[in-house]
Amino acid sequence: MPLQQALRQLQAGFANFFAKRAKCPVFKSRKKARASAEYTRSAFRWRNGESTLAKMDAPLAIVWSRPLPAGAQPSTVTVCSACGTVQKALPLNVREWVCACGASHDRDVNAARNILAAGLAES
């Protein structure tokens, strides 16, 4: 569903461009934009104040961008990912650690990704 929603938004962007209501649509920057996906009503369940995405068993931990009025149900849900926490300087003998968000990190894997990205950028 998020892919279909992205295509709908792209179609609306081009429709607005050709109707001269907006500038030409551009890609989001992978560096500046946060990773997110938008789910429409058919792709999530809303029960007892908890939201469960399609193909998931457990409900999501929800952080509201604004309060939901009493008795209202959301029509779309945007799921954002960013760990985004800054770790203090770790000694070099610490090869793996777990972030505050629960993600596991490995220094060797991260270094390999950085080297690959630098090599691809030069070619």
Side-chain angles (χ1 to χ4, degrees):
M1 289 303 288
L3 182 58
Q4 292 172 349
Q5 187 63 26
L7 289 174
R8 282 189 202 108
Q9 291 172 347
L10 181 63
Q11 175 63 32
F14 274 113
N16 288 333
F17 170 69
F18 289 120
K20 303 198 184 306
R21 291 189 297 256
K23 293 181 180 178
C24 184
V26 294
F27 288 105
K28 284 184 179 180
S29 168
R30 291 188 326 177
K31 295 177 183 175
K32 294 180 183 177
R34 64 181 178 186
S36 64
E38 187 173 288
Y39 292 84
T40 57
R41 188 71 184 116
S42 61
F44 70 93
R45 285 191 312 260
W46 177 257
R47 292 194 183 122
N48 301 326
E50 294 181 331
S51 179
T52 306
L53 297 180
K55 299 184 180 182
M56 286 186 65
D57 296 329
L60 294 173
I62 298 174
V63 178
W64 293 105
S65 59
R66 58 183 174 268
L68 191 65
Q73 292 191 354
S75 59
T76 59
V77 173
T78 302
V79 179
C80 303
S81 67
C83 192
T85 60
V86 176
Q87 294 288 333
K88 62 180 186 263
L90 296 174
L92 290 177
N93 64 346
V94 177
R95 307 309 299 166
E96 297 179 10
W97 75 94
V98 177
C99 181
C101 68
S104 176
H105 299 281
D106 186 326
R107 280 191 170 169
D108 296 328
V109 172
N110 187 44
R113 287 181 184 150
N114 290 338
I115 292 170
L116 176 64
L120 292 175
E122 288 182 11
S123 55

